[in-house]
Each structure stands twice: as C-alpha cells, then as structure tokens.
Amino acid sequence: MGRIVVISTGGTIASRWQGSGFAADADGSEVMATAAVPEDVSIEVVDLFSVNSPRLTTVHQLTLLRTVHEVLADPHVDGIVVTHGTDTLEESAFLVDLHHDDPRPVVFTGAQLPLDAADGDGPGNLHDALLTAATTRGLGVLVAFDGKVHQARGTVKTQTLAPDAFADPSGARIGNIGFGRVSVLRRPQRPAALALPGMPDTPPRVDMVMHHADADPLLLNAAVDAGAQGIVLVATGAGNATPEIVEAVASATARGVLVALTTRVQGGPVAEIYTHGGAVDLVAAGAVPTGTLRAGQARIAVLTALLAATDPRERDRVLRRVLGETEGERETEVATKPGSATATKAVSADAGPAAELVQA
C-alpha cells in the first residue's frame, strides 16, 4: 500500500516509568516495535524529539511542521504518521493542517496508556494511523485514535484518561477504522493552505486569558505588558465577559495586539448576542471571534497570523481569512429579535455522501 514515514515526538505512547511517574524516553523504533504494520506497508522512522507534550514549545512545533514538509518533498513517500503526546496533539495537528497543501495524509496519533502497559492502546492506535496514512487521500491532516478518524481542525482532547480521547464537540468525525479498512464518512471542505512560515529567532508570545465570575482585566493587561503580540480570550457562554474586559481588549488592539475570542464552553460557536461586556462589545473592541475553534487551536490560529505578517492590519486580515474560510463546513445562523430570546443554530454544510469504504 505504500511507504509511510513515522515522525516520533514522544508523549505517552513513548513513555516509561521513571520512579515517580511516567515520561517520554523511548525512540521511534521502540514505539514502532509495539505495533503490527499493515500488509504491504513499508516504514521509515524519523526521531525528531522525545518529550512529554506539555513541554512542547513553538520552536518544537515549527520544527515538526518543517520536517513534515521536508519528508513530503520526496515523491516516493505515500504518507506520514506523527506519534505525539495527547495533551497538545490538537495544537500541533492544527498547525500542520493550516500549512498542508498535499493530497498525501499526515496522521497524528498517540496513546492514553504508556509504552509498556500490558493493555496499552498505543499499538492499536499506531496500526490504525498507519492504515489511514496508507489508504486515504485528500483529507488533510487527520487524528486517528480509538478506531476513529477526525480532521485536525476542531478536534480536541475531550477525555483525560479514557481511550476514546478525541472528538470535535461541534462537528462529526471523518471516519471509522475496523476490519482492516478505513470507512470515510465525509470529506471536509478545506481552506487554501498558508505559506510555510520562517523560523523566528524568538517566536511571538501568544497568551490565553480565561474569563470567570469576579474576573478583572489584570491578567489580560499583564499579558500585554509582558510583550504578548497575541491574546486568546477564553470567554463564557457564546463569547461574553464584562465591560471592564472590553475596555482592556480595546486598549490591547489599539496597541497592535491581535485578540481572538473563544469560549470555555465545550461545543458550539462564538456568537454576537449580548452587550454589556458580551461578544457584541468584544468584537466591536477589535476581538476576532473564532467560530467553533477552542482555546488551543485558536491560539495556533493567532500564532500563524503573527508569523505570516508584521503589520497589525495584515495580521488581523490573515486571522480573519483563516477563520472565515474554515467555517465553510459549519454555517452558523444566529437569529435575533429585539426584546425576545435568541435562537442559535449550527448547521452542517457538508454531510457528505454515503460512507466510502477504502479497502486495506
């Protein structure tokens, strides 16, 4: 079925007991030795790094992005599998997806149980990722986990410990894996890929600030004072905060800081419904609503815009372009009537054809 390159980055799938807890220390060949390789698939391993994924930096992620592009420069490579820690997998996968312009798949996977666990999920996930990389085309960057295939965009870790760890709370998965084949349920509409960014000496700082009862602008202002070029405001509800936060956002955007607005709610879009500090006012103050992207991926979207341009207006344009194009899959209708309740409905714009079976 093809030649697959496995890029190993660490995570639980590569972790062993360290005396007081688990940490990544196995190389890619050791990880690969645990998994059954699908028939007619040849494997090459790239040991990029081996760290617990909460320790990943922007430099790590940009290095991974560039490595993916270097591997795909070889026309004889049929696909890539990235083994990655689950804590930040959603961020790295989305970064690669934003710059992926190739029909050949890049499939991220990992594990919830460590390398030596007798009932570990890593071997099965790795086999499924290899099968997905060898038999699918034109789906962008994917996450293969617990017998399911998800598109990178919108997919987040939804379970801390359970094997079925990933999902898009606002959308459907791409497909299922079982009986030696991948069943593709839908084909996502994908925006045009962004140009590969350079490797800056010092990556731009992008911070997250969460709103909650009694929250004030202290942390948002502190992020700006610390040199943040971008901020993700993790608001309540459909994207709401307070008038004081609105004022801080207006001050930050006036200084050229790129502010994205998401929500701490698991599913559904950010929507301009409420004033008195709500999304209506935050957007008017310059915050860019991120649709259904949650905090980690919203941060990657902001980071990507900062890496793409230096002018604040151009950065804002790039961020809005990324978010606007990617919302083509899920149209959000927000109907409001003065003095009455607001009805918000997310409509799938791409249910897709009946399941397409790809035989291994």
Side-chain angles (χ1 to χ4, degrees), residues 183-254:
S183 300
V184 178
L185 304 176
R186 67 184 184 92
R187 292 187 172 273
Q189 299 174 4
R190 301 185 62 244
L194 298 174
L196 190 66
M199 185 70 80
D201 293 334
T202 303
R205 180 179 183 125
V206 183
D207 288 322
M208 297 183 192
V209 178
M210 180 177 285
H211 183 59
H212 53 83
D214 285 336
D216 62 27
L218 176 67
L219 296 180
L220 197 152
N221 290 334
V224 174
D225 292 341
Q229 297 181 47
I231 293 173
V232 176
L233 175 59
V234 186
T236 55
N240 307 308
T242 67
E244 292 77 16
I245 299 293
V246 170
E247 185 177 342
V249 167
S251 177
T253 56

Side-chain angles (χ1 to χ4, degrees), residues 209-216 220 232-247 249 259-265 267-285 287-291 294 334 336 342 344:
V209 178
M210 180 177 285
H211 183 59
H212 53 83
D214 285 336
D216 62 27
L220 197 152
V232 176
L233 175 59
V234 186
T236 55
N240 307 308
T242 67
E244 292 77 16
I245 299 293
V246 170
E247 185 177 342
V249 167
V259 178
L261 176 64
T262 185
T263 170
R264 68 187 203 186
V265 179
V270 171
E272 295 174 64
I273 301 171
Y274 297 102
T275 184
H276 290 185
V280 170
D281 303 330
L282 289 165
V283 171
V288 181
T290 62
R294 291 312 183 253
V334 180
T336 59
T342 299
T344 304

Side-chain angles (χ1 to χ4, degrees), residues 29 43 48 68 88 107 112 124 141 191 199 204 227 237 253 255-256 283 295 308 322 333:
S29 297
I43 303 298
L48 196 57
V68 166
T88 56
V107 185
Q112 292 283 70
V141 177
M199 185 70 80
T253 56
R255 294 172 62 175
V283 171
V322 168
E333 298 177 359

Side-chain angles (χ1 to χ4, degrees), residues 85-330:
T86 58
D87 284 3
T88 56
L89 184 152
E90 65 203 54
E91 298 173 40
S92 298
F94 184 49
L95 176 66
V96 175
D97 189 57
L98 285 174
H99 301 87
H100 186 61
D101 185 19
D102 195 299
R104 294 170 292 176
V106 179
V107 185
F108 280 70
T109 196
Q112 292 283 70
L113 293 172
L115 180 70
D116 297 330
D119 56 347
D121 56 335
N125 286 340
L126 184 49
H127 169 274
D128 288 352
L130 293 169
L131 184 65
T132 304
T135 60
T136 64
R137 290 292 180 273
L139 299 176
V141 177
L142 303 171
V143 177
F145 221 93
D146 196 46
K148 303 174 183 66
V149 182
H150 310 276
Q151 68 179 116
R153 181 183 299 273
T155 295
V156 297
K157 188 173 183 180
T158 57
Q159 294 287 335
T160 58
L161 301 176
D164 190 8
F166 287 90
D168 179 350
S170 301
R173 61 179 177 269
I174 291 290
N176 299 316
I177 309 165
F179 302 101
R181 61 189 181 185
V182 180
S183 300
V184 178
L185 304 176
R186 67 184 184 92
R187 292 187 172 273
Q189 299 174 4
R190 301 185 62 244
L194 298 174
L196 190 66
M199 185 70 80
D201 293 334
T202 303
R205 180 179 183 125
V206 183
D207 288 322
M208 297 183 192
V209 178
M210 180 177 285
H211 183 59
H212 53 83
D214 285 336
D216 62 27
L218 176 67
L219 296 180
L220 197 152
N221 290 334
V224 174
D225 292 341
Q229 297 181 47
I231 293 173
V232 176
L233 175 59
V234 186
T236 55
N240 307 308
T242 67
E244 292 77 16
I245 299 293
V246 170
E247 185 177 342
V249 167
S251 177
T253 56
R255 294 172 62 175
V257 178
L258 191 57
V259 178
L261 176 64
T262 185
T263 170
R264 68 187 203 186
V265 179
Q266 184 182 32
V270 171
E272 295 174 64
I273 301 171
Y274 297 102
T275 184
H276 290 185
V280 170
D281 303 330
L282 289 165
V283 171
V288 181
T290 62
T292 57
L293 288 187
R294 291 312 183 253
Q297 294 193 340
R299 182 184 175 278
I300 291 297
V302 171
L303 173 67
T304 300
L306 296 176
L307 291 170
T310 56
D311 178 72
R313 290 173 296 180
E314 179 63 13
R315 287 173 165 178
D316 184 273
R317 189 195 68 79
V318 171
L319 177 59
R320 292 177 186 275
R321 171 197 159 199
V322 168
L323 297 171
E325 288 182 352
T326 60
E327 285 304 298
E329 286 192 292
R330 289 187 293 271

